[in-house]
Amino acid sequence: MKLKTLLVASVAVIALLSCSPKASQQAVKLPSIDSVDFAQEASDLKPDPAVVYGKLANGVRYAVLHNETPTKTAALRMRIDTGSLNETDKQRGAAHYLEHMAFNGSKNIPENEMTKILEREGLSFGADTNAYTSFDETVYMLNLPEVSEHLLDQTLMIMRETAENLTLDAGAIDRERGVVQAEKRTRDNPSVRADLAGLEFTTKGSRVMSRMPIGTDETLKNMTDTDLRAYYEAYYRPENTFVVLVGDLDTDLAIAKIKQHFEDWTTAVPAGEEHDAGKTSPRGMDIGYYADPKIQTSISIATIKPYIEKMDTATNRKEAFIAGLGNRILNRRLSTLARKADAEFLGASAGRSYLLETADMMSIDMSSRSKNWQKALAVGEQELRKALKYGFTQAELDEQLANSEKSMEVSVQTFATRRTNGLASGILGSFKGESVYTHPRTSLERFSSYEDEISTDMVWDAFKEQWSALDKPHIYLQTSQEIENPKQVIRTAYEASKAVPVTQNAMQKQDKFAYTDFGTPGKVISQKHIDDIDSDLIKFENNVLVNFKKTNFEKNSIRISISVGDGRLSMPIKDPAMAILANSVMSAGGLKAHSNDELSHIFAGKAVSANFSFGTKSFNISGATVTSDLTDQFNLMMAQLIAPGYRAVSKARYDKYIESWYPTLDSTPGGVASRDVGRLLRSGDIRYGIPPMEDLLAAKIQDVKAWIERELKNGQIEISVVGDIDKDVIIRQVARTFGTLSKRKLGHTDYPNMTKITFPTARSKPVVLTHSGDVNRALLQVYWPAPDGTDIMRNRRLSILRRIFDNRLTKVIREEEGAAYSPFAGRSASRIFKNYGYMSASLGLKPEKISAMSDKLDEIAVDIGAGNISDDEFTRAMEPILEGLDSSLESNSYWMGVISHAQTDSWNIDNFRTREKMYQNMTLADIKPLAKQIYRPETAFRIQILPK
């Protein structure tokens, strides 16, 4: 379960691309949205015809859709049209508390049995079983691994139980109280508190801050069964319920099952009164300020106007799209400035939001180092003023229109294999937003019909109208820097920026991509087809290796992964700072001939990408594209190999980010853990964890270049391609790009000094670290040495053992003790670092709970180590894996994992060939010896992270 706290409600302009001028000219009177059951009944937009909508006699509404990606699976969603806005003062937090109680007993399901029932059916808690609460909705989600009639009945029964029959036993409520309180603590940190302070400044006069979904310490402490039942009966009602069922099933069957489980639901209790978020009070210029030494700095300029409700019609979608273009162009300008070496800010964004319909708000937000907030403010203010004064160029508009068109074209090309879970979420989101769920093809058609009408003047006029309240700006600064008389200082900085004249931007030169001709195409010297994985292994005369699998799981989509060289193991010295800098250099450095900003211009309207990442044993260049852009995709990936930019600007941006981010690390237990624990678990190996800030800043870009360039020029290259494309097309693309390279080496170099890792010696007392954040937060982590990852069968058994331990943690630490919101069991094992591995447990706790829960954790470990594992625990750990085997075979990402390195390492293919038989034949008797070997208190390494 997770609470989605709404800090900013933004408009996704690219999604609003479905309108036609013809429709906008029609003077058709539409009914009010409040008088219809579904948004399409009050709109001139046509809904996706494949979605079947309906309403039961009792008011329950539903939407069902047949979808076969992946086959034999389904997604079930239930939305209750209520959230924290409907709570009384005494009930604050009740909507979210009820979401927790859905897992704690109902008329037909005993307390704490719901999750177990679902796990036995193959649903994994968290991945397939989830829920969230917001200001205005509560949503329950189940992902069905199969669409048998039995599982449909089981899951719909559970949804009905949640909607009407929760027990809300006083004892169960008390037992869950600690979990809800722990969740609130977990989500409380300096960054969140700063965001909440900003939200409070923005929403003055509304009810937003007085109805945060998590509730307050006082109301959570005193919440009773009477409070929860009053809210439950008032708002969990048929007319407030919307059920979505998408999957590989007949829509008539889906509707029949929804009727079977929901149509007899009635309630005699009067409906609760509906409350909105209120309205943000109109006011003149306002300045806000929040300081905390453990937060990063940002400053915003905003305008607030009254919210005006608009129906989802063709005209309004078109207007919203055009209005969004100006902000997108402004964001593009800000992105260009942020990439400069001398940029005074780290990042920026401008956009429109409606904040639960409390206001119509425009804002521009700038992040920077604390010492540079005045300069960041000036950049934002002056770039905004420049756009308002001079408007936009045709080239800027063309880039945004091209990107929009490509996005819609890709949606049309891939719609036939849209994933079931995403479709269910899309239908649910449209219903919540009172918008029409349209088909990608009709959206593209409408856009194409008016694209040529859009002019720079039209965009400029819409932009000026949106920002028309800038004479009464709301300026908000959150920073780590204490400022004396902050409001006056902020006002002075703003007025000083306004006094600076602005000039129109110069026209930007449009370059052509410099890397399209790489020489004489290479030749294939061998091909081999692997029947059981239906894949081809191809070798070029220059030793470039290609692994290929054609699929139809993602229509018209192709994924490409290129492994190069020896990865992190090839780093010349054990320098963690250089490794961290290298990530920035390779992501922000662009190419020799083009900066990242120039690449954005060049590839506008193209679905191409080349992401460089650092694996332990190889570097990786990955990307995804569609058939029409395959040539550009290979050109870009080849350029990333032969001409990386290593630009100084990447080091400048890196330094600014480190100076802003690093001081926040010790503000939470998790930040301290990320900084120190990795190093402790490897007996002080400096490559792990995060080094001191001065070491990070001292890293040199020339050292990064010397390291990586050697590997890119000489290292082994193995290319893996999975997708809806023919093998001969891929061979031609590789031949003209990577096939032109000089002969590459085959195999990897041994790095004995880099592959030695030692687990720390067990201690009688825990290692104690401290954080400077909330005094009510602590973190307990325990690590047990375990086998490495060199044995496939043992790996699978250890994965089941981890699941068993994780489920036991949930049962004991969360459900019985109510001490932690999300206790977690982990595992680490590698084939590269032999004789090194561990199993782990991590608990976020109150500091006063550390001692007791440390003892409880030892009890769990000893009990499991003694073999006290029930058949039911084994089944609940195993079934989600067994149920997921078939659906994973319909995933390009899964097959990419199988064929990657297929010509240099048989591990992934062996894993595929043996997994089904190994899992199906695995027994509890196979697990117990490993549990006995691992979970021994005398070998455990314990870490406590406590408040200072």
Side-chain angles (χ1 to χ4, degrees):
M1 288 177 282
K2 57 186 177 182
L3 167 64
K4 288 190 175 178
T5 301
L6 176 62
L7 296 178
V8 177
S10 61
V11 174
V13 292
I14 292 184
L16 303 178
L17 303 179
S18 38
C19 25
S20 78
K22 290 182 180 179
S24 67
Q25 294 167 4
Q26 294 174 349
V28 177
K29 183 171 177 59
L30 297 169
S32 164
I33 190 68
D34 296 326
S35 66
V36 299
D37 294 320
F38 300 100
Q40 57 265 28
E41 299 168 8
S43 175
D44 54 2
L45 293 165
K46 294 181 180 179
D48 186 332
V51 183
V52 181
Y53 295 88
K55 181 180 180 181
L56 304 183
N58 60 2
V60 171
R61 285 170 286 182
Y62 61 82
V64 299
L65 172 64
H66 175 78
N67 188 64
E68 299 179 1
T69 308
T71 57
K72 302 177 183 178
T73 67
L76 176 61
R77 307 286 185 263
M78 181 176 73
R79 177 183 186 270
I80 308 296
D81 188 23
T82 189
S84 58
L85 291 176
N86 285 331
E87 297 163 355
T88 65
D89 288 342
K90 187 180 180 183
Q91 290 173 338
R92 290 180 63 180
H96 174 244
Y97 212 133
L98 268 176
E99 175 213 312
H100 278 245
M101 296 309 298
F103 296 83
N104 282 282
S106 65
K107 180 180 177 181
N108 296 298
I109 303 174
E111 183 181 353
N112 296 326
E113 282 299 310
M114 182 188 292
T115 300
K116 296 175 183 177
I117 290 171
L118 292 169
E119 287 171 341
R120 294 178 195 123
E121 300 288 354
L123 282 76
S124 179
F125 183 71
D128 302 312
T129 309
N130 214 328
Y132 66 84
T133 305
S134 187
F135 290 94
D136 54 0
E137 66 175 344
T138 305
V139 176
Y140 299 90
M141 302 174 285
L142 296 176
N143 297 328
L144 284 59
E146 63 176 2
V147 288
S148 66
E149 193 159 342
H150 163 72
L151 190 54
L152 285 171
D153 285 331
Q154 189 82 301
T155 51
L156 282 164
M157 179 274 292
I158 286 172
M159 289 297 195
R160 172 65 184 277
E161 287 290 288
T162 299
E164 183 189 17
N165 294 323
L166 294 186
T167 307
L168 302 181
D169 174 74
I173 290 169
D174 282 338
R175 286 186 287 275
E176 191 67 17
R177 194 181 311 278
V179 177
V180 179
Q181 291 170 328
E183 180 177 358
K184 186 175 186 297
R185 283 197 310 275
T186 299
R187 302 185 187 282
D188 184 22
N189 60 59
S191 177
V192 168
R193 287 195 291 272
D195 288 340
L196 290 175
L199 184 63
E200 183 173 18
F201 171 78
T202 301
T203 61
K204 287 180 181 179
S206 76
R207 301 175 65 243
V208 172
M209 291 306 299
S210 67
R211 289 298 178 272
M212 296 303 295
I214 195 63
T216 69
D217 291 336
E218 181 180 0
T219 55
L220 296 182
K221 178 181 178 181
N222 297 312
M223 192 74 69
T224 67
D225 57 331
T226 302
D227 297 326
L228 290 181
R229 184 163 298 282
Y231 183 92
Y232 182 57
E233 293 179 347
Y235 295 104
Y236 276 57
R237 312 175 58 81
E239 65 270 25
N240 284 348
T241 303
F242 178 55
V243 178
V244 179
L245 183 53
V246 178
D248 190 6
L249 74 170
D250 181 77
T251 54
D252 289 339
L253 173 63
I255 293 169
K257 286 297 180 184
I258 292 171
K259 288 181 177 179
Q260 175 187 335
H261 289 278
F262 282 91
E263 68 180 353
D264 64 344
W265 177 19
T266 60
T267 177
V269 177
E273 186 177 352
E274 297 290 332
H275 300 279
D276 62 22
K279 302 300 178 185
T280 298
S281 303
R283 59 191 192 271
M285 181 178 183
D286 198 1
I287 295 174
Y289 164 77
Y290 183 90
D292 187 311
K294 299 302 180 183
I295 64 174
Q296 293 178 275
T297 294
S298 66
I299 188 159
S300 66
I301 305 169
T303 68
I304 294 180
K305 296 191 290 188
Y307 171 77
I308 300 174
E309 184 176 17
K310 292 186 177 182
M311 306 275 279
D312 186 24
T313 64
T315 298
N316 289 336
R317 284 201 182 188
K318 177 181 178 180
E319 289 176 354
F321 173 66
I322 293 171
L325 286 169
N327 290 315
R328 287 167 58 186
I329 294 171
L330 177 57
N331 280 325
R332 186 70 178 82
R333 292 179 178 180
L334 292 169
S335 175
T336 298
L337 293 173
R339 288 170 173 163
K340 294 183 179 296
D342 60 351
E344 301 290 0
F345 64 104
L346 298 171
S349 64
R352 188 177 199 170
S353 61
Y354 297 109
L355 294 173
L356 293 167
E357 301 181 357
T358 62
D360 182 347
M361 173 179 161
M362 300 297 300
S363 65
I364 182 169
D365 303 277
M366 314 287 294
S367 61
S368 72
R369 292 174 288 180
S370 60
K371 65 182 181 181
N372 281 350
W373 69 262
Q374 294 98 329
K375 294 177 180 178
L377 170 64
V379 171
E381 187 279 326
Q382 290 166 30
E383 285 302 314
L384 174 58
R385 182 153 44 94
K386 189 183 300 182
L388 290 168
K389 184 173 182 178
Y390 298 110
F392 311 106
T393 68
Q394 188 63 46
E396 289 176 315
L397 176 59
D398 289 345
E399 179 179 339
Q400 297 306 320
L401 292 176
N403 288 335
S404 296
E405 186 170 37
K406 171 57 70 173
S407 175
M408 286 181 284
E409 287 174 347
V410 170
S411 294
V412 171
Q413 293 163 1
T414 60
F415 87 96
T417 51
R418 293 173 294 177
R419 308 292 288 187
T420 285
N421 289 350
L423 288 169
S425 297
I427 294 169
L428 190 78
S430 291
F431 180 84
K432 174 229 170 33
E434 297 184 335
S435 61
V436 182
Y437 188 77
T438 56
H439 191 287
R441 184 177 292 109
T442 58
S443 297
L444 177 59
E445 289 170 354
R446 286 188 288 269
F447 172 77
S448 298
S449 71
Y450 70 75
E451 178 184 10
D452 291 341
E453 297 177 8
I454 301 175
S455 66
T456 54
D457 284 343
M458 190 183 297
V459 174
W460 188 24
D461 288 342
F463 184 78
K464 288 186 288 187
E465 192 283 325
Q466 287 181 97
W467 286 96
S468 60
L470 193 56
D471 59 326
K472 300 174 183 176
H474 297 184
I475 307 169
Y476 186 80
L477 171 66
Q478 65 176 51
T479 180
S480 60
Q481 182 184 68
E482 289 286 347
I483 300 175
E484 188 175 347
N485 194 14
K487 291 189 177 183
Q488 184 57 51
V489 171
I490 295 168
R491 180 186 291 270
T492 299
Y494 180 70
E495 296 295 343
S497 177
K498 284 180 61 179
V500 176
V502 294
T503 57
Q504 190 169 10
N505 287 343
M507 293 291 289
Q508 186 159 355
K509 180 183 176 182
Q510 300 300 306
D511 293 328
K512 291 185 177 180
F513 193 55
Y515 307 98
T516 57
D517 186 358
F518 305 102
T520 304
K523 296 179 180 179
V524 173
I525 60 172
S526 70
Q527 293 191 57
K528 178 182 179 182
H529 187 76
I530 309 297
D531 291 337
D532 61 337
I533 60 173
D534 191 21
S535 300
D536 295 280
L537 309 185
I538 303 153
K539 184 177 181 180
F540 280 77
E541 60 184 350
N542 65 348
N543 286 338
V544 167
L545 308 174
V546 179
N547 310 317
F548 171 79
K549 180 175 177 63
K550 181 179 174 65
T551 71
N552 59 1
F553 310 132
E554 297 176 15
K555 186 68 176 174
N556 201 46
S557 298
I558 305 113
R559 298 190 185 199
I560 306 167
S561 179
I562 304 172
S563 296
V564 185
D566 292 343
R568 288 182 181 273
L569 290 179
S570 66
M571 191 163 54
I573 57 174
K574 292 184 177 183
D575 184 350
M578 183 168 71
I580 294 172
L581 172 61
N583 276 292
S584 179
V585 168
M586 298 307 292
S587 64
L591 303 174
K592 285 182 180 178
H594 307 293
S595 68
N596 274 354
D597 190 67
E598 291 165 345
L599 291 173
S600 296
H601 285 291
I602 290 169
F603 290 114
K606 301 283 187 178
V608 298
S609 60
N611 304 307
F612 196 99
S613 59
F614 293 75
T616 302
K617 204 172 179 178
S618 66
F619 302 113
N620 195 64
I621 305 171
S622 60
T625 189
V626 292
T627 308
S628 58
D629 294 331
L630 189 62
T631 296
D632 290 307
Q633 178 66 44
F634 268 94
N635 287 346
L636 180 59
M637 298 181 93
M638 178 67 169
Q640 180 72 80
L641 176 78
I642 64 174
Y646 304 112
R647 292 172 180 268
V649 65
S650 62
K651 177 63 163 72
R653 285 179 55 78
Y654 164 88
D655 286 350
K656 294 169 192 172
Y657 175 76
I658 293 298
E659 290 176 352
S660 175
W661 160 77
Y662 194 91
T664 70
L665 275 178
D666 78 341
S667 64
T668 64
V672 172
S674 68
R675 186 189 64 198
D676 298 334
V677 170
R679 188 166 49 254
L680 290 170
L681 292 179
R682 294 161 180 85
S683 299
D685 192 315
I686 63 171
R687 289 174 295 170
Y688 298 90
I690 302 172
M693 185 165 71
E694 53 268 27
D695 291 352
L696 291 171
L697 295 175
K700 295 180 175 59
I701 198 169
Q702 55 265 38
D703 293 337
V704 170
K705 181 178 179 180
W707 164 34
I708 294 178
E709 198 162 59
R710 180 187 68 242
E711 293 297 308
L712 296 187
K713 285 184 176 180
N714 304 307
Q716 173 180 278
I717 295 178
E718 189 165 9
I719 303 171
S720 300
V721 182
V722 177
D724 188 15
I725 193 73
D726 291 331
K727 177 183 68 174
D728 291 345
V729 175
I730 294 301
I731 288 176
R732 288 195 297 271
Q733 289 290 351
V734 174
R736 70 169 191 85
T737 53
F738 297 90
T740 66
L741 297 167
S742 57
K743 201 160 191 174
R744 310 293 289 206
K745 78 171 187 177
L746 288 175
H748 296 284
T749 302
D750 289 329
Y751 299 91
N753 291 331
M754 300 293 279
T755 54
K756 290 180 181 177
I757 294 179
T758 305
F759 191 84
T761 303
R763 297 162 45 111
S764 58
K765 294 183 178 180
V767 173
V768 177
L769 306 174
T770 60
H771 69 88
S772 61
D774 192 336
V775 296
N776 289 314
R777 294 185 63 186
L779 186 63
L780 171 64
Q781 297 183 328
V782 180
Y783 298 84
W784 296 268
D788 60 28
T790 56
D791 184 279
I792 290 178
M793 185 72 242
R794 187 175 61 200
N795 275 350
R796 297 213 165 95
R797 291 170 178 169
L798 286 171
S799 71
I800 298 300
L801 179 59
R802 187 209 67 79
R803 285 174 171 264
I804 290 170
F805 201 98
D806 194 68
N807 288 343
R808 186 76 70 88
L809 285 179
T810 298
K811 176 181 182 292
V812 175
I813 304 298
R814 176 180 167 127
E815 295 174 2
E816 295 178 4
E817 298 292 331
Y821 167 57
S822 56
F824 173 75
R827 173 179 173 244
S828 177
S830 169
R831 293 185 296 133
I832 298 171
F833 302 103
K834 292 182 172 57
N835 301 314
Y836 180 86
Y838 59 77
M839 305 288 274
S840 64
S842 180
L843 312 178
L845 303 165
K846 281 185 174 182
E848 59 267 28
K849 290 277 190 177
I850 286 282
S851 178
M853 291 305 103
S854 182
D855 292 342
K856 189 65 67 173
L857 201 50
D858 281 348
E859 289 176 16
I860 295 171
V862 168
D863 194 51
I864 289 180
N868 294 321
I869 305 169
S870 69
D871 289 333
D872 184 59
E873 285 182 299
F874 176 75
T875 298
R876 291 190 290 111
M878 179 63 75
E879 282 301 319
I881 292 179
L882 293 174
E883 289 291 350
L885 292 178
D886 287 343
S887 61
S888 69
L889 297 177
E890 299 179 47
S891 163
N892 281 352
S893 61
Y894 173 76
W895 284 111
M896 180 62 80
V898 172
I899 70 169
S900 290
H901 313 292
Q903 296 189 60
T904 57
D905 187 346
S906 65
W907 177 270
N908 292 333
I909 294 178
D910 292 341
N911 229 334
F912 161 74
R913 287 170 173 163
T914 60
R915 67 173 192 157
E916 186 167 358
K917 183 177 180 180
M918 282 186 174
Y919 277 124
Q920 289 177 342
N921 294 334
M922 193 182 300
T923 67
L924 180 54
D926 297 323
I927 304 298
K928 290 183 177 181
L930 283 170
K932 182 178 181 180
Q933 173 189 347
I934 294 168
Y935 291 116
R936 295 185 295 154
E938 66 272 18
T939 65
F941 187 79
R942 298 174 172 83
I943 298 172
Q944 297 178 5
I945 305 178
L946 306 173
K948 289 180 180 177

